[in-house]
């Protein structure tokens, strides 16, 4: 099984400049300690990560999120773990939430900053809040109005997510799912003479013929 460093290296692609490599090394060295602490704080973590593959993917996601959000030293990590221990929620934190704890930002502020910088969303609540507010924020709101609007939307959808009421919408297939049977059925024309004279079905068929 790959180590977390190997997983991160694969996810990051080609070798980075020396400064970025140092940040990668910091995230890789810290991630096991972070997960040990978080798993102690949130004993239901096994419901989120049912096998080692899922756990390793989560570690890689956390490490990448730390690098993208500028969590670059042990003091920030300690701040994040301290904040985790103060939470009343039983839900294992998302990478975005943990990074916001590390940086001392409120979670909605981190999500708001990612939206303005066109960075990827880190939770479904953040995605919904961005969809609900991005047009108004970019086109007609002042800075303070934009922050307040996003904060209200983010906290609303975050509440839905924590209650399990927020799910990803089912995506329509890129190609039609019409079968050959559907095509044949839809191309068949029903005539009144196919049914008993003056029956209900014959009268319905007659109405269809009159609209052709």
């Amino acid at each position: 099984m790959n180590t977390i460093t190997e997983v991160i290296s694969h996810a990051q692609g080609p070798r980075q400049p020396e400064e970025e490599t140092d940040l990668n090394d910091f995230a890789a060295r810290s991630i096991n300690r972070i997960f040990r602490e978080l798993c102690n704080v949130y004993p239901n973590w096994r419901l989120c990560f049912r096998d080692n593959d899922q756990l390793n993917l989560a570690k890689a996601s956390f490490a990448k999120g730390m690098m993208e959000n500028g969590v670059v030293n042990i003091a920030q990590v300690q701040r994040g773990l301290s904040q985790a221990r103060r939470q009343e929620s039983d839900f294992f934190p998302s990478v975005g939430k943990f990074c916001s704890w590390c940086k001392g930002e409120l979670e909605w502020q981190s999500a708001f900053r990612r939206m303005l910088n066109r960075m990827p969303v880190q939770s479904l609540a953040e995605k919904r809040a961005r969809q609900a507010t991005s047009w108004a924020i970019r086109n007609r709101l002042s800075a303070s109005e934009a922050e307040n609007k996003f904060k209200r939307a983010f906290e609303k959808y975050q509440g839905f997510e924590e209650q399990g009421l927020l799910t990803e919408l089912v995506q329509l297939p890129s190609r039609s799912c019409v079968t050959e049977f559907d095509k044949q059925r839809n191309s068949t024309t029903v005539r009144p003479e196919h049914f008993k004279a003056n029956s209900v079905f014959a009268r319905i068929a007659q109405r269809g013929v009159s609209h052709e």
Side-chain angles (χ1 to χ4, degrees):
M1 182 175 294
N2 291 338
T3 66
I4 187 61
T5 305
E6 292 169 335
V7 172
I8 296 167
S9 298
H10 177 73
Q12 290 300 110
R15 185 175 181 83
Q16 303 294 320
E18 183 176 351
E19 182 179 354
E20 293 188 21
T21 302
D22 290 342
L23 297 183
N24 295 0
D25 291 342
F26 169 78
R29 290 195 308 271
S30 304
I31 201 67
N32 287 326
R33 176 197 169 187
I34 290 170
F35 265 70
R36 280 197 302 271
E37 293 279 352
L38 291 179
C39 289
N40 285 332
V41 174
Y42 302 96
N44 64 345
W45 64 272
R46 293 183 185 278
L47 299 177
C48 301
F49 316 120
R50 297 182 182 277
D51 55 40
N52 285 333
D53 287 340
Q54 290 186 2
L55 184 60
N56 280 337
L57 287 173
K59 288 182 177 182
S61 178
F62 264 67
K64 187 175 181 180
M66 288 166 59
M67 290 179 268
E68 292 175 344
N69 285 277
V71 179
V72 297
N73 60 60
I74 196 63
Q76 290 174 311
V77 170
Q78 289 173 340
R79 183 189 300 128
L81 293 174
S82 177
Q83 184 67 24
R85 288 189 288 269
R86 289 197 291 270
Q87 301 303 305
E88 296 181 1
S89 173
D90 294 330
F91 293 93
F92 199 93
S94 67
V95 58
K97 178 176 290 188
F98 180 73
C99 288
S100 69
W101 291 344
C102 291
K103 298 182 70 175
E105 289 182 318
L106 296 176
E107 191 172 359
W108 74 266
Q109 292 174 321
S110 298
F112 184 70
R113 173 175 51 79
R114 284 192 292 273
M115 182 183 71
L116 296 182
N117 293 326
R118 301 181 184 277
M119 298 171 64
V121 298
Q122 296 189 352
S123 71
L124 188 53
E126 182 178 341
K127 179 179 180 180
R128 290 286 186 272
R130 187 180 293 192
Q131 291 171 337
T133 63
S134 60
W135 186 89
I137 286 173
R138 293 185 184 278
N139 290 278
R140 60 183 178 83
L141 296 181
S142 66
S144 60
E145 289 172 335
E147 287 188 351
N148 288 333
K149 185 176 183 66
F150 185 85
K151 178 177 183 291
R152 290 194 300 270
F154 182 82
E155 290 178 346
K156 178 183 77 171
Y157 287 114
Q158 188 179 51
F160 289 159
E161 188 172 39
E162 290 180 350
Q163 296 175 58
L165 301 177
L166 199 62
T167 56
E168 187 65 88
L169 297 177
V170 176
Q171 298 295 315
L172 293 176
S174 57
R175 296 184 178 180
S176 173
C177 291
V178 176
T179 65
E180 289 300 321
F181 175 78
D182 294 327
K183 294 177 182 178
Q184 183 178 0
R185 179 188 60 191
N186 294 336
S187 65
T188 301
T189 301
V190 178
R191 299 288 178 180
E193 56 267 24
H194 294 163
F195 304 97
K196 184 178 179 181
N198 297 321
S199 68
V200 173
F201 297 111
R203 293 199 296 272
I204 293 174
Q206 184 59 50
R207 286 177 175 271
V209 170
S210 65
H211 285 85
E212 289 182 352

